[in-house]
Amino acid sequence: MAVVDGRRDGCDGCGRLVLLDRLTTVSMPDGETVACCLDCEPYAREAVERLASLDRCRADCDGCTGDFSRGDLEDVVLVDGTVVTCCPDCLAEVPGRSDGNTEPSVANGRSDVETTELATTRSCCSQCHEWVEAELFRVTTIDDRTEALCADCTERAKADGVVADVMMRTTEARAVLGVDEGATDEAIREAFLRQIKRAHPDRKSGSRSAFTLVKDAYDRLR
């Protein structure tokens, strides 16, 4: 960030030249600082809040009920449509997995739930029970149930008006941020910081919808 004439400087958000006393410095979680005009400052602080909240984002394993980073947890779909979230240790004990383990696991202390065989991770639609190659859509219904649906069942559910929300798929999130499968947390963070600047609503390359899309993609991958 270079001072142009002693009185003006460029906003790191929109790139416009503004008076120095109208620039605000915002510190990002990774230590980087950005200088924003009054219009761009809310977007910068929103990005900071999202990064900070995701760094603190944790959840419980449905098996051992332990507290883990969401990045260490994985969703699996049982043939009855139940979606459970497991840590690596509990995931290895889910019945029907390729490692041949057939012992029942424990979810929230209820052994009766675990007698259901596992279809496969993210491949058996909980509605039509068809196996699909593509990643399933995680759908929240209007009665607050979570379903893992194939594309056809997702469209039918939308047409029936029973869908409250559809989570972005990881394949879509990787495409938005431009990262490969297996990218590290650091690579995902760096990609997010690059894309969020390009998507800023005050830039020619950005818009409010693009800004939200990039944040949602980072949220999904984290």
Side-chain angles (χ1 to χ4, degrees):
M1 183 175 63
V3 176
V4 176
D5 58 11
R7 297 185 304 277
R8 295 177 179 270
D9 202 347
C11 170
D12 288 331
C14 61
R16 293 177 298 183
L17 293 178
V18 296
L19 293 173
L20 287 176
D21 59 5
R22 297 181 66 83
L23 283 175
T24 300
T25 300
V26 179
S27 297
M28 306 300 285
D30 62 354
E32 180 184 1
T33 58
V34 294
C36 300
C37 64
L38 297 180
D39 292 334
C40 295
E41 182 185 359
Y43 296 110
R45 296 201 182 281
E46 186 177 354
V48 170
E49 291 177 3
R50 176 59 63 93
L51 283 166
S53 64
L54 289 173
D55 284 342
R56 296 191 301 268
C57 190
R58 302 183 68 81
D60 293 337
C61 169
D62 289 331
C64 64
T65 69
D67 180 51
F68 294 88
S69 167
R70 287 192 183 276
D72 294 331
L73 298 171
E74 183 175 347
D75 291 341
V76 293
V77 184
L78 305 180
V79 291
D80 65 352
T82 303
V83 179
V84 294
T85 303
C86 298
C87 67
D89 290 340
C90 292
L91 191 66
E93 298 179 4
V94 176
R97 290 187 63 80
S98 59
D99 59 7
N101 191 330
T102 58
E103 293 298 322
S105 58
V106 176
N108 294 329
R110 299 181 303 164
S111 60
D112 58 320
V113 175
E114 280 59 50
T115 57
T116 305
E117 285 185 275
L118 179 70
T120 186
T121 302
R122 297 192 184 99
S123 63
C124 180
C125 174
S126 62
Q127 182 64 38
C128 65
H129 299 293
E130 293 291 334
W131 288 20
V132 295
E133 295 294 331
E135 181 182 352
L136 298 177
F137 292 87
R138 186 167 185 177
V139 176
T140 302
T141 61
I142 56 177
D143 57 354
D144 205 29
R145 290 182 296 109
T146 300
E147 302 280 356
L149 305 181
C150 65
D152 290 342
C153 288
T154 299
E155 291 304 315
R156 282 196 291 269
K158 288 180 179 178
D160 292 340
V162 299
V163 174
D165 182 62
V166 179
M167 181 182 290
M168 180 185 293
R169 296 188 296 175
T170 56
T171 50
E172 297 168 333
R174 287 196 295 269
V176 170
L177 295 186
V179 297
D180 296 328
E181 184 176 2
T184 64
D185 287 348
E186 184 60 28
I188 292 172
R189 177 191 287 272
E190 291 175 357
F192 169 74
L193 292 174
R194 287 195 304 270
Q195 296 294 346
I196 204 68
K197 289 181 181 179
R198 296 174 185 172
H200 194 285
D202 286 340
R203 287 183 177 268
K204 291 183 179 180
S205 60
S207 65
R208 182 63 184 174
S209 59
F211 191 81
T212 301
L213 183 66
V214 171
K215 290 193 299 179
D216 289 346
Y218 184 63
D219 194 359
R220 182 67 181 94
L221 294 182
R222 290 288 291 170

